[in-house]
Amino acid sequence: MDAFATDAVEPLLEGRFGRPLRFVPRTESTQDLLRPDDPEGAVAATDEQTAGRGRQGRRWIAPRGRAILCSVLLRPPPGRRLPELSLVAGVAVADAIEEALGLSAQIKWPNDVLVNRKKVAGILAEARGDAVVLGIGVNVNQAREELPADTRPPAASLLTIDGVERDREPILARILARLEHHYDLWREGGLDAIYVDLGSRDFLRGRRVSVDGVSGTAARIDREGRLVIDVDGAERAIESGEVTYDA
Ligand code: BTN
């Protein structure tokens, strides 16, 4: 697999996201490569992370050169809810994956992007003062045996889904273009402004779920980015947590 080529991304950039695009061949985590004085839309990317982070203190593991591993610096308006940004990014990543694969992608609240019920991408939003570092990991060219085993949802890559090996650069450029588009809409109008693209991809809707001791049927992701669960006819809105669900 060729090393990631930033030269191949730059001509494909459509807006302000991806400028600058900082690439290092190997790093602990791209989440730590962006600086407080970087402009909004600055991106750090790598071919290999030695201490990649996932949500809930988990590790994010991908073999060198197979995945998109990047972080984007955002400066949302004060007072906006961080979890909403994971969903904004989820929509952007789902758009880019759908374009690459020609298959529909779903969003599993709060931060997973799934294709055929398998996780192909994850998003991690970390606050840095007033800024947010949005980490995006997309499994692109991993073979089945290179993916983490026994995860729920099970992991997949674009390669394991349709057998096609892809250049990562155009997919990253497309993620950045879609992220900028949906982020700008969200800045102006909140999740309402992107709700058609979010609600229609809600993987959990209608499934039996449990989050932090609350069990019921997932009703929807609401306009504040919470998961609404119907518990015997009464609705409970969950702010954050780890969802288990019936297949
Ligand atoms: C998750 O699904 O738990 C979130 C995974 C986020 C992984 C990405 S890879 C690039 C960036 N750097 C990290 O250390 N984590 C994020």
Side-chain angles (χ1 to χ4, degrees):
M1 178 55 51
D2 294 335
F4 189 85
T6 47
D7 291 0
V9 181
E10 271 147 13
L12 301 175
L13 294 176
E14 293 177 22
R16 62 191 196 284
F17 282 23
R19 303 176 204 277
L21 172 55
R22 200 171 291 138
F23 174 79
V24 293
R26 188 170 196 254
T27 187
E28 287 191 2
S29 165
T30 56
Q31 292 293 90
D32 301 329
L33 294 180
L34 294 165
R35 297 186 294 256
D37 58 342
D38 278 326
E40 181 166 79
V43 172
T46 192
D47 265 337
E48 186 178 11
Q49 294 186 128
T50 55
R53 302 200 281 275
R55 279 184 70 246
Q56 312 260 342
R58 285 189 291 259
R59 296 194 64 196
W60 185 262
I61 296 168
R64 178 165 54 89
R66 301 278 203 274
I68 292 171
L69 306 167
C70 71
S71 301
V72 186
L73 187 80
L74 299 175
R75 299 186 191 284
R80 302 296 289 274
R81 297 181 70 252
L82 192 63
E84 293 186 23
L85 268 178
S86 289
L87 294 165
V88 173
V91 170
V93 171
D95 276 359
I97 287 175
E98 285 186 356
E99 285 177 29
L101 273 178
L103 293 171
S104 64
Q106 287 74 47
I107 295 168
K108 179 184 154 283
W109 182 91
N111 77 320
D112 296 342
V113 179
L114 312 188
V115 175
N116 296 346
R117 300 169 176 233
K118 295 185 177 161
K119 176 166 173 170
V120 292
I123 290 145
L124 177 70
E126 294 180 330
R128 296 278 189 284
D130 295 339
V132 173
V133 176
L134 194 68
I136 298 171
V138 184
N139 299 331
V140 180
N141 289 322
Q142 290 101 316
R144 194 172 307 280
E145 61 277 10
E146 293 175 320
L147 292 164
D150 304 325
T151 57
R152 185 139 169 86
S157 68
L158 307 196
L159 176 66
T160 63
I161 285 169
D162 69 356
V164 177
E165 200 163 306
R166 293 177 167 81
D167 289 337
R168 291 167 293 158
E169 295 86 349
I171 303 174
L172 174 58
R174 203 59 198 139
I175 288 172
L176 296 175
R178 298 313 288 160
L179 181 60
E180 185 171 334
H181 170 76
H182 292 297
Y183 175 72
D184 286 346
L185 289 173
W186 173 82
R187 277 183 69 105
E188 290 304 312
L191 283 186
D192 246 351
I194 63 161
Y195 199 79
V196 172
D197 295 304
L198 173 63
S200 60
R201 290 188 170 118
D202 182 353
F203 173 78
L204 294 175
R205 187 175 193 142
R207 290 180 200 271
R208 294 284 307 171
V209 295
S210 294
V211 191
D212 293 337
V214 179
S215 297
T217 303
R220 65 189 165 280
I221 299 168
D222 73 10
R223 312 283 165 140
E224 280 78 49
R226 300 172 301 190
L227 181 67
V228 179
I229 303 180
D230 181 320
V231 184
D232 300 327
E235 293 197 335
R236 295 271 306 268
I238 307 295
E239 298 277 345
S240 66
E242 198 61 13
V243 189
T244 57
Y245 59 94
D246 290 349

